[in-house]
């Protein structure tokens, strides 16, 4: 059965539902489940394709077993970006003007650059964390510091979004 048939994609935008989008693979044979707010915009279609890419990857990787089916951080976005690119290709082919085509291209370039930088910053955070963990236990403040260091290294001072915890600013 498909994720749609099994009602494992929660898309209606409802009051009180948190923003953003997420696909949870849970464990092999359970899920995946997609959560997002869908209002029918082109961006919503791309987001659904992105999360569906994660879901497809999870389903295909379940045969690897519980300990091996989750992709490493460096590969986690491969299937999801592939899903986005299928939608992008179709939207680009349907564009009605050079201006719309340029807008789509500029937006996609920005998305790809941001995806690469974001994934590299996650990898840097893990490198900082694991290197420090070899020397002993870590406090939540140290984790916050590692996260902010990684964000600043990749985003500059703009990486400092403020807030009580730097983890509060990322969705």
């Amino acid at each position: 059965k498909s994720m749609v048939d099994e009602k494992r994609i929660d898309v209606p935008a409802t009051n009180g539902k948190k923003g953003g989008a997420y696909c949870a693979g849970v464990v092999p044979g359970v899920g995946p489940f997609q959560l997002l707010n869908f209002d029918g915009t082109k961006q919503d279609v791309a987001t659904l394709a992105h999360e569906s890419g994660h879901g497809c990857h999870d389903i295909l990787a379940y045969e690897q077993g519980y300990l091996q089916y989750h992709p490493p951080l460096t590969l986690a976005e491969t299937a999801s970006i592939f899903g986005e690119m299928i939608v992008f290709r179709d939207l680009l082919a349907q564009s009605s003007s050079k201006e719309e085509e340029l807008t789509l291209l500029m937006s996609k370039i920005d998305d790809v650059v941001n995806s690469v930088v974001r994934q590299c910053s996650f990898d840097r955070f893990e490198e900082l964390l694991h290197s420090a963990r070899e020397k002993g236990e870590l406090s939540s403040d140290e984790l916050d510091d590692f996260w902010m260091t990684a964000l600043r290294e990749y985003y500059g001072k703009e990486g400092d979004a403020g807030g009580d915890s730097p983890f509060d600013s990322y969705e």
Side-chain angles (χ1 to χ4, degrees), residues 18-131:
K18 188 174 176 151
Y22 187 75
C23 182
V26 192
V27 296
V30 177
F33 299 92
Q34 292 179 39
L35 305 170
L36 61 142
N37 292 300
F38 189 90
D39 290 323
T41 67
K42 289 178 182 177
Q43 184 58 48
D44 289 346
V45 174
T47 300
L48 179 59
H50 179 100
E51 298 308 326
S52 294
H54 285 303
C56 181
H57 182 265
D58 284 342
I59 290 167
L60 294 172
Y62 280 164
E63 69 184 46
Q64 300 300 317
Y66 180 75
L67 297 176
Q68 296 295 319
Y69 88 95
H70 274 293
L73 186 58
T74 53
L75 299 177
E77 295 300 306
T78 303
S80 57
I81 291 173
F82 180 77
E84 278 183 48
M85 293 306 291
I86 291 171
V87 169
F88 173 73
R89 177 199 60 199
D90 292 348
L91 289 174
L92 194 60
Q94 296 171 13
S95 62
S96 58
S97 68
K98 289 291 181 191
E99 291 79 16
E100 182 181 5
E101 191 175 299
L102 182 60
T103 299
L104 286 167
L105 286 167
M106 293 301 294
S107 178
K108 181 47 65 185
I109 290 167
D110 188 51
D111 286 350
V112 169
V113 168
N114 189 46
S115 290
V116 169
V117 170
R118 186 175 57 243
Q119 294 309 310
C120 289
S121 67
F122 290 162
D123 190 64
R124 177 65 174 142
F125 166 71
E126 288 187 357
E127 178 187 9
L128 292 167
L129 183 148
H130 290 291
S131 294

